[in-house]
Amino acid sequence: MSAPLVAIRDVRKRFGSFEALKGVSLDIPAGQVLCLIGASGSGKTTLLRCVNQLAEIDSGGIWLEGELLGQREDGGRLHRLSEAQIARQRLKTGMVFQRFNLFAHMTALDNVTEGPIQVQGRKPAEVRREALELLDRVGLSSKASNYPSELSGGQQQRVAIARALAMRPRLMLFDEPTSALDPELVGEVLSVMRELAKSGMTMMVVTHELGFAREVADRVVYMDAGLIVEAGTPDQVLGAPREARTQAFLSAVIRR
């Protein structure tokens, strides 16, 4: 079997006295959609931030395409990479946050082209052409010259997805991408994510949208108190959970 695109091994992370991750291990093959579910504070977002190196792990290791993230081994000891080296590694991942984090003074098109031109040093004409294609892909070709204040929340989040894709990532990370949206706007963002999944993009998605997880995920992971409690196919975890904690969580979500 080929090595997984992402390998997470015994990752631990503390914030002061609070242990957010208590030895998490996961494999994510290329092209797989992994949905992380669980209550707030269960460690889902922290895990995503560790993969994207926005949070430094305390122990364990994370590998992306076989490359150890954030550290290098020298003489049997691990050494923290420089910020420049971490930034280079981070280019392999695209992250979409709860809040859209668009540059308010830039048009949708400029938001999408900024990273590839300024960070990757790619040719502006090539980047602009690709950015227009990405905006079309997320259904916003007619909004290229609009500013964020002129877009709905759902449209802003779709621009944020296009912006992440413009960096040509190997892995897309979504941190509750619909949680800040009005209910009527959720569907348009999930539709874009469905198309991404169909295209073969490897995705880690923190979500409360269980219908989306059931439809799109290859695997669902339920986390609680910094641990993976249960993992399997959507039918296994969402349809016939074995663990009492998973059953209780799903019952509480369905009752809402």
Side-chain angles (χ1 to χ4, degrees):
M1 293 179 63
S2 60
L5 183 78
V6 183
I8 300 169
R9 295 290 180 271
D10 196 26
V11 166
R12 297 176 182 272
K13 175 63 182 175
R14 300 184 74 95
F15 296 99
S17 61
F18 176 66
E19 194 172 12
L21 297 174
K22 302 174 182 176
V24 171
S25 295
L26 271 175
D27 281 348
I28 307 170
Q32 186 176 90
V33 178
L34 177 78
C35 282
L36 296 160
I37 64 171
S40 297
S42 60
K44 311 180 304 297
T45 292
T46 298
L47 181 59
L48 228 60
R49 292 177 65 84
C50 287
V51 171
N52 204 35
Q53 302 192 69
L54 296 173
E56 182 180 351
I57 65 173
D58 296 324
S59 63
I62 302 174
W63 287 261
L64 177 58
E65 293 190 312
E67 182 181 12
L68 181 62
L69 299 183
Q71 306 173 87
R72 62 177 175 84
E73 191 172 356
D74 186 9
R77 302 186 66 178
L78 291 176
H79 303 269
R80 177 77 173 163
L81 295 182
S82 69
E83 287 304 315
Q85 291 170 318
I86 289 172
R88 177 191 60 78
Q89 289 185 333
R90 196 178 284 135
L91 292 177
K92 290 186 176 183
T93 62
M95 190 155 181
V96 178
F97 300 87
Q98 296 178 36
R99 298 291 172 180
F100 325 121
N101 297 334
L102 298 179
F103 294 113
H105 66 289
M106 291 185 178
T107 64
L109 180 61
D110 289 340
N111 266 281
V112 176
T113 60
E114 177 75 2
I117 293 172
Q118 299 300 328
V119 178
Q120 294 179 326
R122 289 161 54 195
K123 295 178 180 178
E126 170 197 293
V127 171
R128 179 183 172 85
R129 183 170 59 252
E130 190 171 308
L132 288 170
E133 291 172 356
L134 286 170
L135 287 173
D136 183 57
R137 184 176 178 182
V138 300
L140 291 174
S141 56
S142 65
K143 302 291 185 180
S145 60
N146 286 64
Y147 290 89
S149 62
E150 300 171 320
L151 302 173
S152 70
Q155 290 171 335
Q156 289 185 60
Q157 192 63 295
R158 285 186 279 157
V159 172
I161 293 172
R163 178 179 60 181
L165 290 172
M167 302 296 284
R168 299 176 177 173
R170 297 287 289 122
L171 171 71
M172 283 288 286
L173 307 171
F174 293 87
D175 183 15
E176 297 188 23
T178 61
S179 65
L181 300 177
D182 293 331
E184 66 271 17
L185 302 176
V186 168
E188 63 190 60
V189 173
L190 294 182
S191 178
V192 170
M193 293 173 66
R194 285 188 191 95
E195 290 304 314
L196 267 185
K198 288 179 183 177
S199 76
M201 175 63 73
T202 310
M203 298 161 60
M204 291 181 70
V205 184
V206 172
T207 185
H208 291 299
E209 299 288 342
L210 298 186
F212 172 81
R214 186 184 297 276
E215 177 189 351
V216 176
D218 296 293
R219 290 179 68 216
V220 175
V221 169
Y222 169 65
M223 293 186 67
D224 184 46
L227 294 167
I228 292 177
V229 175
E230 191 161 355
T233 67
D235 284 345
Q236 290 169 338
V237 177
L238 301 178
R242 298 186 309 273
E243 302 294 329
R245 279 189 283 177
T246 315
Q247 295 167 6
F249 169 77
L250 292 173
S251 295
V253 170
I254 291 169
R255 282 200 304 269
R256 287 175 193 165

